[in-house]
Amino acid sequence: MLKRFYPGAYWKSAYEIPFERLYEKGYRGIIFDVDNTLVPHGAPADEKALELFDRLRRIGFLTCILSNNKEPRVQPFAASVKSPYLYKGGKPRIRGYQKAMELMGTKREQTLFVGDQLFTDVWGANRAGIFSILTKPIDPREEIQIVLKRFLEAVVLFFYQRWRQNYKKQLKSDGL
C-alpha cells in the first residue's frame, strides 16, 4: 500500500542528481517542482538554479515547471530559468503531469519528475507513470499544512528506506 508513494530514486538535492546518466538512459524531459526543490519557498531563481537549467539544456533535456502555486509565484521563476511552466498544477492529479509532457513533447518513458513532497509530487508522478525523484526539502521552514504532511511522510520514508536496501542493488545496476 505504501509503495505507491515510494520514489524511483531519492537524492539529497536536485543539484546532485546525475542528469547525464539519466539522459544516457533515454530520458529527455524533466518536470520540476519549484518551492523547496530548487529554491526555498517563495525565493526567486538563484545562480544555482540558473546554472542547473543551462546545464540541462546543454545535455539535451527539455524542462517544464509544474507547481501547485499561483502564476505570480511560478511565472517569474520559470522566466528566469527559461522553462515552460504550469501553475495551479493540481498535483497529485495526473492532468498536470500530462500537460507538462505535452508542452515538452515527451512520453512517459522519456520523462522524469523531481520534487520534494511524497503526497503531491511523487505520488502524482507515479500515478502518471513517470519516473519520480524525491529530494530533501531545501528549507525546514514551511507552511503549517506542509509541516503536518512531513510527519506522515516520515512514516512512509521509514518504510521506504527499509525497502530501498533491497532496491538499492537494482538502482546501482541501472546507474542511479
Side-chain angles (χ1 to χ4, degrees):
M1 180 173 115
L2 293 179
K3 284 187 181 179
R4 74 181 73 184
F5 301 111
Y6 290 179
Y10 188 23
W11 287 89
K12 181 180 177 187
S13 167
Y15 301 100
E16 296 180 2
I17 297 169
F19 290 109
E20 290 82 1
R21 281 193 265 160
L22 291 164
Y23 191 84
E24 289 170 8
K25 293 199 159 300
Y27 292 101
R28 296 297 181 259
I30 307 171
I31 305 169
F32 281 99
D33 176 49
V34 175
D35 288 320
N36 250 348
T37 299
L38 296 169
V39 293
H41 186 77
D46 58 15
E47 195 61 36
K48 245 174 129 171
L50 297 173
E51 288 173 8
L52 174 63
F53 278 77
D54 284 343
R55 175 179 152 218
L56 294 172
R57 278 190 285 280
R58 283 193 310 273
I59 293 168
F61 276 110
L62 300 165
T63 62
C64 187
I65 304 294
L66 176 61
S67 176
N68 283 347
N69 219 319
K70 297 176 184 166
E71 189 171 25
R73 163 63 184 129
V74 182
Q75 188 279 329
F77 185 94
S80 294
V81 298
K82 300 176 184 139
S83 180
Y85 67 95
L86 296 164
Y87 64 96
K88 289 188 176 180
K91 296 179 288 182
R93 289 188 301 246
I94 296 170
R95 184 69 189 132
Y97 299 87
Q98 291 171 330
K99 275 192 88 128
M101 287 186 286
E102 287 172 22
L103 286 173
M104 294 186 296
T106 60
K107 297 178 179 176
R108 291 176 192 178
E109 60 275 3
Q110 299 175 296
T111 307
L112 55 99
F113 182 88
V114 179
D116 70 299
Q117 292 189 50
L118 284 176
F119 300 130
T120 52
D121 299 332
V122 169
W123 188 35
N126 291 349
R127 292 176 67 217
I130 299 169
F131 185 77
S132 60
I133 299 176
L134 178 68
T135 62
K136 291 186 178 186
I138 291 174
D139 188 351
R141 295 171 293 168
E142 299 180 292
E143 297 171 352
I144 189 66
Q145 71 271 16
I146 296 173
V147 170
L148 296 173
K149 281 196 274 184
R150 296 287 186 203
F151 286 111
L152 296 172
E153 284 184 354
V155 173
V156 175
L157 286 172
F158 171 80
F159 288 104
Y160 168 73
Q161 295 289 6
R162 287 179 54 190
W163 171 81
R164 187 175 178 217
Q165 295 306 317
N166 294 329
Y167 187 65
K168 206 172 192 179
K169 293 174 188 170
Q170 179 64 38
L171 287 176
K172 273 190 177 181
S173 70
D174 287 347
L176 296 175

